[in-house]
């Protein structure tokens, strides 16, 4: 398991993705899967950076580790910001034309669709979001 704690600011996104990518390469993750994971991590991390501590700042912790399921990886993002379950919001109706859709929610929807499993819990004063992806 590899872990990183970083100030939850958008200007730290490059460091976050470099950390995740280094761990995925260590796990022999195919490039296509790595790109899917990068998009999901970016969406989740940027949400933390923008909303978790508003108007202040705080930290985000990321962990990358082999999942319980063989051949899969689990990425955990934690923050001590405002409790927020991104899975509680209904998925947007993507069959509607863009101008008729409600604003927001599309990023998390894309994460849900690209990951094999996504879970959220609020425990011990922390938002804990777990993303699981099969490597092959």
């Amino acid at each position: 398991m590899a872990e990183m704690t970083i100030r939850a600011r958008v200007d730290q996104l490059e460091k976050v993705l470099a950390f995740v990518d280094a761990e995925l390469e260590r796990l022999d993750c195919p490039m296509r899967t790595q790109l899917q994971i990068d998009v999901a991590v970016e969406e989740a991390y940027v949400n933390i950076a923008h909303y978790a501590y508003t108007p202040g700042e705080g930290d985000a912790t990321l962990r990358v580790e082999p999942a319980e399921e063989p051949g899969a990886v689990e990425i955990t993002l934690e923050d001590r910001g405002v409790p927020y379950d991104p899975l509680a919001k209904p998925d947007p109706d993507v069959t509607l034309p863009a101008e008729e859709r409600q604003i927001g929610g599309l990023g998390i929807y894309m994460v849900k669709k690209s990951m094999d499993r996504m879970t959220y819990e609020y425990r011990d004063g922390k938002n804990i979001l777990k993303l699981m992806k099969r490597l092959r």
Side-chain angles (χ1 to χ4, degrees):
M1 175 189 72
E3 183 173 291
M4 164 192 230
T5 298
I6 193 165
R7 207 71 177 153
R9 295 191 326 240
V10 175
D11 66 356
Q12 299 298 305
L13 177 61
E14 197 172 308
K15 290 179 185 173
V16 166
L17 293 177
F19 164 75
V20 171
D21 288 347
E23 293 306 311
L24 293 176
E25 286 170 19
R26 217 175 46 71
L27 294 170
D28 250 354
C29 181
M31 185 54 68
R32 178 185 163 126
T33 304
Q34 181 176 328
L35 292 172
Q36 290 174 321
I37 292 170
D38 282 351
V39 169
V41 168
E42 179 174 345
E43 177 65 27
Y45 176 79
V46 168
N47 281 345
I48 293 169
H50 279 149
Y51 305 114
Y53 299 103
T54 303
E57 282 189 358
D59 292 335
T61 298
L62 289 92
R63 275 191 302 284
V64 179
E65 59 193 322
E68 287 183 20
E69 180 178 317
V73 66
E74 186 171 81
I75 295 99
T76 304
L77 296 99
E78 294 182 358
D79 68 79
R80 292 188 173 277
V82 176
Y84 176 69
D85 180 355
L87 304 179
K89 188 174 183 178
D91 291 341
D93 184 351
V94 294
T95 63
L96 291 174
E99 61 273 3
E100 292 180 29
R101 290 185 210 151
Q102 286 191 332
I103 294 172
L106 197 55
I108 291 296
Y109 174 75
M110 291 184 332
V111 173
K112 284 189 213 175
K113 292 297 179 190
S114 66
M115 294 296 101
D116 292 307
R117 186 173 61 238
M118 188 172 170
T119 62
Y120 167 84
E121 67 177 317
Y122 186 78
R123 183 178 33 141
D124 300 328
K126 293 188 281 192
N127 291 294
I128 304 167
L129 182 66
K130 293 186 178 197
L131 311 173
M132 191 277 289
K133 181 74 176 166
R134 290 179 197 94
L135 297 179
R136 309 238 181 292

